[in-house]
Amino acid sequence: VKVAPGSEDTECMVLSLKNPAIHVGKIRNLLSDGSHHLIVYRTSDTEEKLTPYDCQPFVDTLDPSKGSPLMITQKHDDTLTLPDSVAFSLDPNQMIRLEVHFINATANALDMQATTTFIPIADKDFKYEADFLFLGDPDINIPASSSHTLGPVFLPLGKLLPELVGEAKFFAITGHEHQWGTRVKVDLVTDANDTGISVYDPPNWSWSEPATVYQDPPFVVPDGGGFRFSCSWNNTSDKDVKFGESANDEMCFFWAYYYPSKGAFVCAHTDQVPGGFDLCCPGNALCSKIFN
């Protein structure tokens, strides 16, 4: 895609891999300058769209009937390596959507490129289907010319997704903020009062090249437990910054890869509902109100 100077947009492509049935044990994504993030989806589309078109970012993370994310990348060179015997299964002639959010802050046009490569494992080596949780808090309000931390926020995964508790094995976590981000911290906790075990707190945090932290061995969420997380920013601009999809807005999210699959979900805490509210999407009527 040719990106005009000073422009920001999200564009997608839909294509068939024209593949036999395979189990993907590794995904490598490459992003050129100008790319903010790339999301790779399995999708239920039936027609290819080989010319990039305007699309809404993140929207199909909330509707598994339309598709489910396999990997989100913000780094220029990012490889997700699944544990032995764990993979994403792709049907024959699997339809894939590539969603790229790009921004060109320079004075010159950029040729922006993004590619994804699927590396399969042998059928005999496959045992567990992998999947994906996207977790965070949209209640962001960072005053101009100030540092700010949201949280710590407790997400009671044992209450929201009890089918994952004690069984789902989490093997990798990646944090996500925009340009003012300075830290994403995630702890595994037994309840809201637990001091917890740190599972994500990379040193020298870089919002544009966020580290993926692998868990070896993978961990499970204890009964009644969940994740406690916080996000920090340093807003050096002269404007207040709130939640939004633009690179000029901010986000406080992390995504966690796990197996065996019970589905892909977006989970969040919000205080937009009096008394606070926790939810996972799909499955709640408030999902569209909170994330749009």
Side-chain angles (χ1 to χ4, degrees), residues 122-193:
D123 291 348
K124 65 180 179 60
D125 296 330
F126 170 72
K127 187 173 181 181
Y128 300 108
E129 184 73 19
D131 227 315
F132 181 97
L133 295 186
F134 193 75
L135 310 102
D137 191 322
D139 299 345
I140 297 171
N141 188 0
I142 311 166
S145 304
S146 69
S147 297
H148 179 70
T149 295
L150 173 64
V153 176
F154 173 56
L155 264 179
L157 207 63
K159 176 183 176 182
L160 296 169
L161 296 172
E163 62 269 33
L164 268 65
V165 172
E167 181 178 357
K169 294 177 173 60
F170 290 88
F171 63 87
I173 297 176
T174 308
H176 180 71
E177 295 175 314
H178 291 176
Q179 63 178 317
W180 310 120
T182 58
R183 187 184 190 187
V184 176
K185 185 177 187 300
V186 183
D187 297 324
L188 175 68
V189 296
T190 57
D191 56 47
N193 299 314

Side-chain angles (χ1 to χ4, degrees), residues 262-291:
K262 298 292 184 179
F265 297 91
V266 177
C267 299
H269 172 84
T270 180
D271 290 316
Q272 297 175 32
V273 177
F277 191 73
D278 302 305
L279 80 167
C280 286
C281 307
N284 193 295
L286 290 175
C287 294
S288 60
K289 297 182 183 297
I290 290 171
F291 290 105

